[in-house]
Amino acid sequence: MALLASAARVPRRAPLPWCALARHAHFDSNAFVQRLEKAGITRQQADVLVTALTDVINESAENIARGLVRRDEAERLNYTQKVDFAKLKSEIQLLERSDFVLMKSENERLMADVEKLKQRLREEIARTTAGVRLDLNLEKGRIRDESSVHALKIKEVDTRIESEIAGVRTSIQSAKFNVLQYLVGVATGAGALLLAYLRMFR
């Protein structure tokens, strides 16, 4: 009964003759009608069911046929896919070569920049070393000058000390001579007094 209800909802069209049903159906529609009649369905209802079933089968077959790809279309599609794949592969290779060339150029530019930085660093180190050497030489010259000044001052002090020592020695010698003269004078006076005293008591 459910099958009859669904068949009743299918848009009806004029029943085809049995020869037309046999020509359009993909199964033995006459035998199917007879089976439906044996099941208690009237001839008109059986015709409607067979017509609806034939339409559904034909529509399904048409849909399947439309969904299938013919051999020439498949070959054309395969060729198109191969061409597209070859084009894509060529574009990828071109991009890879372009990227490689760009990367190589960038690498060369970076290496040139590194060499420039190295050269600048060497020049800066040489300039700094020359400046340090100049400062060291100037400092050495200043130290030598100061050492010469100190040496002159030390020599002057030594000369002054030696001169003062010589003066002290001269003073000591003079003092010794004066003392000696004094002692000689005292001894001479004492001797004269002693002689005079001795003469007085004779």
Side-chain angles (χ1 to χ4, degrees):
M1 298 303 291
L3 185 60
L4 290 175
S6 61
R9 287 195 295 270
V10 176
R12 291 187 178 184
R13 62 182 181 179
L16 295 175
W18 290 114
C19 59
L21 287 175
R23 188 169 57 249
H24 287 82
H26 296 276
F27 58 95
D28 190 354
S29 57
N30 190 14
F32 188 65
V33 169
Q34 291 176 1
R35 288 180 62 185
L36 291 176
E37 288 179 349
K38 289 180 181 180
I41 298 174
T42 63
R43 184 61 176 266
Q44 186 178 2
Q45 291 176 345
D47 290 339
V48 172
L49 286 173
V50 171
T51 301
L53 187 59
T54 302
D55 291 340
V56 171
I57 292 174
N58 289 333
E59 185 177 357
S60 299
E62 290 176 359
N63 290 332
I64 293 173
R66 282 196 299 269
L68 295 176
V69 180
R70 292 183 302 179
R71 184 173 182 179
D72 55 347
E73 292 180 355
E75 291 178 354
R76 186 171 63 253
L77 180 61
N78 188 18
Y79 176 76
T80 304
Q81 289 178 351
K82 287 182 179 179
V83 171
D84 292 339
F85 181 75
K87 187 183 296 184
L88 179 61
K89 184 178 180 181
S90 177
E91 290 178 356
I92 291 174
Q93 291 176 352
L94 182 62
L95 287 175
E96 288 179 351
R97 285 195 295 270
S98 178
D99 291 339
F100 177 75
V101 171
L102 183 61
M103 187 180 299
K104 185 178 180 181
S105 176
E106 187 68 18
N107 189 23
E108 290 177 354
R109 187 182 66 81
L110 289 176
M111 291 299 294
D113 292 340
V114 169
E115 289 297 328
K116 289 180 181 178
L117 289 175
K118 286 182 179 179
Q119 182 65 26
R120 188 180 302 172
L121 182 61
R122 284 194 292 266
E123 292 176 356
E124 191 67 25
I125 291 173
R127 189 181 301 113
T128 304
T129 304
V132 171
R133 287 179 180 174
L134 180 61
D135 293 338
L136 288 175
N137 291 329
L138 292 175
E139 187 67 20
K140 287 180 180 179
R142 187 181 64 80
I143 292 172
R144 281 196 298 268
D145 294 339
E146 290 181 356
S147 298
S148 299
V149 172
H150 289 313
L152 290 175
K153 289 182 179 180
I154 291 171
K155 187 177 289 185
E156 289 178 358
V157 171
D158 290 340
T159 303
R160 189 182 304 165
I161 291 172
E162 289 178 357
S163 177
E164 290 180 357
I165 290 173
V168 170
R169 285 178 181 175
T170 303
S171 298
I172 291 172
Q173 292 294 333
S174 178
K176 284 182 179 180
F177 183 73
N178 291 330
V179 169
L180 185 60
Q181 284 182 348
Y182 177 74
L183 290 176
V184 170
V186 171
T188 303
L193 289 175
L194 182 61
L195 289 174
Y197 181 75
L198 290 175
R199 286 177 183 177
M200 189 181 295
F201 289 101
R202 279 183 181 179

